[in-house]
Amino acid sequence: SPSTVYAGTWSSGVLKSTDAGATWVPANTGLTDLWIGTVAVDPQTPSTLYVATTRRSGGMFKSVDSGATWTLANTGITGVWLYTVAIDPTSPATLYAAGSSSAIYKSTNSGGTWASVGTALSTPEVFVLAIDPTTPTTVYAGAFGGVSKSTDSGTTWSAFSAELASQYVTALAIDPSASARVYAGSNAGIF
C-alpha cells in the first residue's frame, strides 16, 4: 500500500497518511513518549510497526494494527533514549535498536525481549542503523565519530571508514542493487 506513509515527529508522535501525504492524522494511542527517533515498518507484515522514542520514559513501542494502537516493547533496554530501529529484511523477527549509548540492542522475537549484543566504536551515541539486504548479518551503525560495521549480527564492531572518523553520521543507505555501496549523510555532506 504505497499510499500509506508514516512520519515520526519530535513532540507530536507518529503521524499517518493513507493518501500519499495529502492529509495526516495522529496515530499515538498507547504511546507514552511522543518524541520519535525512527518509525520502522515490517517488510513482510506492513501492519506491524516499531517506533524508537527518544526519552528514557519511553523506549521501543510496537503496533500490530497499522499504528492504531501501540504497546511498550522494550524489555531488556534500560536507561537509553532510542534514536533508531532497523528490521532484518529477510527475517523480520530480528530487530536492532540503538540510541544514547554505544550499545547495540537486538531482538530475535519481534521486540518481545532485547539484549545488548555489542558496542559500536567508542561513541556515546548511535543515531542510525542499516542492515545489508543481501547479507543481513552485516549491520552498519552511524554515530558521532563515523560509521562502524558488524559482520556477525552485531556481536563485534569495527570502524568502517577513516574518512568519517570525525563526522556526525545521522543517515545511512545501502544500495539495493550493490550492497557493497553504502551512503552516509553527515554534518559535512554525503559520503
Side-chain angles (χ1 to χ4, degrees):
S1 182
S3 61
T4 300
V5 184
Y6 299 92
T9 70
W10 284 57
S11 77
S12 296
V14 176
L15 300 177
K16 179 180 179 180
S17 173
T18 56
D19 54 11
T23 60
W24 296 86
V25 296
N28 296 324
T29 302
L31 288 177
T32 58
D33 183 355
L34 300 180
W35 293 73
I36 308 301
T38 301
V39 179
V41 180
D42 184 319
Q44 295 179 11
T45 309
S47 60
T48 299
L49 313 168
Y50 299 88
V51 294
T53 64
T54 63
R55 302 260 176 130
R56 286 191 177 100
S57 61
M60 185 66 63
F61 289 86
K62 179 180 180 178
S63 174
V64 294
D65 54 13
S66 302
T69 59
W70 298 90
T71 57
L72 197 58
N74 65 346
T75 300
I77 300 174
T78 57
V80 176
W81 296 10
L82 295 176
Y83 301 138
T84 184
V85 57
I87 302 173
D88 183 328
T90 61
S91 177
T94 300
L95 307 152
Y96 296 87
S100 63
S101 75
S102 58
I104 306 294
Y105 294 90
K106 181 179 179 180
S107 174
T108 57
N109 58 2
S110 302
T113 56
W114 297 84
S116 176
V117 292
T119 301
L121 298 176
S122 59
T123 181
E125 296 179 295
V126 175
F127 300 107
V128 62
L129 295 167
I131 301 171
D132 184 324
T134 57
T135 310
T137 55
T138 299
V139 183
Y140 299 90
F144 179 70
V147 177
S148 53
K149 177 182 179 180
S150 172
T151 57
D152 56 10
S153 302
T155 302
T156 60
W157 295 84
S158 59
F160 180 57
S161 173
E163 293 84 12
L164 295 169
S166 63
Q167 302 301 314
Y168 195 115
V169 177
T170 58
L172 291 171
I174 299 170
D175 185 331
S177 63
S179 64
R181 184 176 297 124
V182 180
Y183 297 92
S186 79
N187 57 307
I190 298 173
F191 291 82

